[in-house]
Amino acid sequence: MAKVELKNISKVYEGNVRAVDDANIVVEDKEFVVFVGPSGCGKSTTLRMVAGLEDITEGELHIDGELMNDVPPKDRNIAMVFQNYALYPHMSVYENMAFGLRIKKVPKDEIDKRVKDAAKILDIEKFLDRKPKALSGGQRQRVAVGRAIVRNPKVFLFDEPLSNLDAKLRVQMRAEISSLHHRLDATMIYVTHDQVEAMTMANKIVVMKDGKVQQIGSPMNLYNYPVNKFVAGFIGSPPMNFLTVKVLDKGGSVVLDEGSFEMKPLPQHAEYIRNYVGKEIFFGIRPEDMTYVETPASENNIALKVTVVEPLGSDIHLWLTTAGSTAQQMVARTEPHYIFKVGDTANFTPRLEKARYFDKETELSILAKLDAEAVKG
């Protein structure tokens, strides 16, 4: 397997449209890295540049230490699994998996061994004689993965491979691809717009927006220490709540004023927030970090109006609004034994040790220095 390095990679289309702008990404040997972001963020274009299906406008791509910018796709020793499976409809499963090896003139007995070994790993041995049209979506995806496995590539590339599957099958295939990564001990790069896939599968996540890399890190580091408001809102389901609050100084203490309630941030956070006294900032808190209290707390209590109740069995998602003249929306996750009705007033206390704060103009994390120390330590 191999290390993949993208150094100052950019893709510029006609009209100076920068689909990818100055991306610096390192995928270590045997690592599972997920590129994630909304549609049009440049993640698939970045993957296609690694594959050689898109020319690189600027920068350098190295695979296993070798410069790959002008190397044809067939000579990069990579294998790609596409969203639409890309199987030959007139060929059997066996023939689809063997086709690339036959083009390379691999000996017949070696082809047979590789195809049957891959089919065993993916539990598709009984489908080898079938045509793709006789298979379900999940089975076709296994065939597409098997076609990649038989090539013994240095790097596996996955471009939204599960987006055509139903929700239950997506969860199953997600687990199977993760298991496959451990069994093959392979270098894998995986593109998705689904942050749940990214969180559950990746060793490392690359978050992209508008062609730019926003943050790179482990799933939990991105979840707990987002560098900006976009990453904070994109990673996590339901997403992080954001409230516009004004920073005040009351008797030497930093206070966050929403209009309908006030909060005092933790001292270690207040040290950084104090620079914003007199200004508005974004206060971020995740739904699971909103603690429901049956009796209003004396400090840092937020009284919210229930607008939607979503019972999920294991928990309840409550859609809420603040009581101020400019109502702001929030979501809270509570335990299922609580009973709420639309129109109720529910009291919550945020776990302020989990709170995030963002500059209203730049949307960068106000706690960036503190978070960097936490990630390092």
Side-chain angles (χ1 to χ4, degrees):
M1 297 303 158
K3 180 178 181 178
V4 180
E5 295 178 89
L6 289 78
K7 299 180 178 179
N8 306 109
I9 293 285
S10 294
K11 177 64 181 180
V12 184
Y13 290 109
E14 189 176 348
N16 199 33
V17 177
R18 301 187 77 85
V20 179
D21 189 10
D22 197 30
N24 288 279
I25 303 167
V26 176
V27 181
E28 298 292 350
D29 185 29
K30 302 176 183 178
E31 197 168 37
F32 195 130
V33 173
V34 175
F35 297 171
V36 68
S39 297
C41 71
K43 57 189 184 295
S44 288
T45 302
T46 303
L47 191 78
R48 289 172 65 83
M49 285 191 284
V50 175
L53 302 177
E54 290 277 1
D55 292 332
I56 295 169
T57 307
E58 300 165 2
E60 295 182 352
L61 169 70
H62 295 262
I63 298 178
D64 207 13
E66 295 182 28
L67 183 64
M68 289 286 161
N69 288 45
D70 299 317
V71 176
K74 65 183 179 65
D75 297 327
R76 295 191 181 195
N77 200 6
I78 54 94
M80 191 161 180
V81 179
F82 297 91
Q83 176 180 345
N84 61 359
Y85 320 134
L87 301 177
Y88 297 109
H90 63 287
M91 293 184 182
S92 68
V93 168
Y94 185 101
E95 291 166 337
N96 264 283
M97 292 171 66
F99 183 74
L101 299 179
R102 285 182 177 151
I103 294 296
K104 289 192 170 187
K105 302 190 184 303
V106 175
K108 189 174 181 181
D109 57 344
E110 176 67 14
I111 292 174
D112 190 64
K113 181 179 185 305
R114 289 199 202 178
V115 169
K116 288 178 178 176
D117 286 349
K120 186 175 182 180
I121 289 172
L122 295 165
D123 194 25
I124 54 174
E125 294 168 286
K126 58 181 175 290
F127 305 132
L128 288 176
D129 294 330
R130 294 190 189 179
K131 298 285 177 64
K133 67 180 180 181
L135 304 177
S136 68
Q139 290 162 352
R140 291 179 196 177
Q141 194 56 273
R142 285 193 184 92
V143 176
V145 173
R147 186 176 53 190
I149 291 173
V150 298
R151 295 181 56 190
N152 294 331
K154 286 183 177 181
V155 183
F156 287 85
L157 306 178
F158 295 86
D159 190 9
E160 306 237 23
L162 309 185
S163 59
N164 288 338
L165 305 180
D166 62 55
K168 184 177 179 181
L169 196 51
R170 269 204 311 274
V171 173
Q172 180 185 337
M173 285 299 297
R174 199 167 71 204
E176 289 184 12
I177 292 174
S178 293
S179 175
L180 187 66
H181 171 247
H182 292 294
R183 292 172 70 177
L184 298 178
D185 217 12
T187 302
M188 293 185 174
I189 305 176
Y190 187 105
V191 161
T192 181
H193 64 274
D194 186 338
Q195 56 86 23
V196 175
E197 281 183 24
M199 287 291 292
T200 54
M201 299 174 77
N203 303 132
K204 184 162 72 185
I205 296 174
V206 178
V207 182
M208 298 185 70
K209 178 192 177 190
D210 298 333
K212 289 183 175 290
V213 173
Q214 301 293 304
Q215 188 172 358
I216 301 174
S218 70
M220 291 315 297
N221 278 345
L222 265 61
Y223 187 80
N224 291 319
Y225 309 113
V227 298
N228 59 34
K229 184 173 177 276
F230 174 78
V231 174
F234 193 83
I235 299 294
S237 181
M240 181 179 281
N241 296 298
F242 298 106
L243 295 178
T244 299
V245 296
K246 190 167 186 178
V247 181
L248 305 177
D249 185 331
K250 290 195 172 182
S253 295
V254 172
V255 174
L256 306 175
D257 180 17
E258 190 274 338
S260 62
F261 61 85
E262 291 183 347
M263 291 181 295
K264 284 187 177 181
L266 298 183
Q268 61 267 37
H269 293 170
E271 177 185 342
Y272 296 89
I273 298 169
R274 185 175 294 280
N275 296 326
Y276 291 83
V277 168
K279 298 180 181 178
E280 288 186 334
I281 64 171
F282 291 117
F283 164 77
I285 191 78
R286 296 200 179 277
E288 60 270 30
D289 295 323
M290 295 281 288
T291 303
Y292 172 65
V293 288
E294 297 186 66
T295 304
S298 58
E299 189 175 60
N300 296 331
N301 180 74
I302 305 178
L304 298 162
K305 183 179 179 180
V306 178
T307 58
V308 177
V309 180
E310 294 181 338
L312 299 176
S314 59
D315 53 19
I316 298 172
H317 292 174
L318 292 180
W319 293 77
L320 310 150
T321 56
T322 60
S325 55
T326 305
Q328 301 191 71
Q329 185 172 278
M330 301 186 77
V331 180
R333 179 182 286 168
T334 68
E335 295 179 16
H337 58 268
Y338 292 121
I339 298 174
F340 299 94
K341 299 190 299 294
V342 172
D344 285 351
T345 296
N347 291 283
F348 288 86
T349 302
R351 296 174 59 197
L352 291 178
E353 70 274 15
K354 295 288 189 176
R356 302 289 98 192
Y357 304 92
F358 302 94
D359 185 296
K360 197 172 181 185
E361 292 182 8
T362 66
E363 297 194 350
L364 295 175
S365 173
I366 292 170
L367 305 181
K369 185 177 179 182
L370 191 65
D371 290 349
E373 291 171 0
V375 170
K376 196 183 301 181

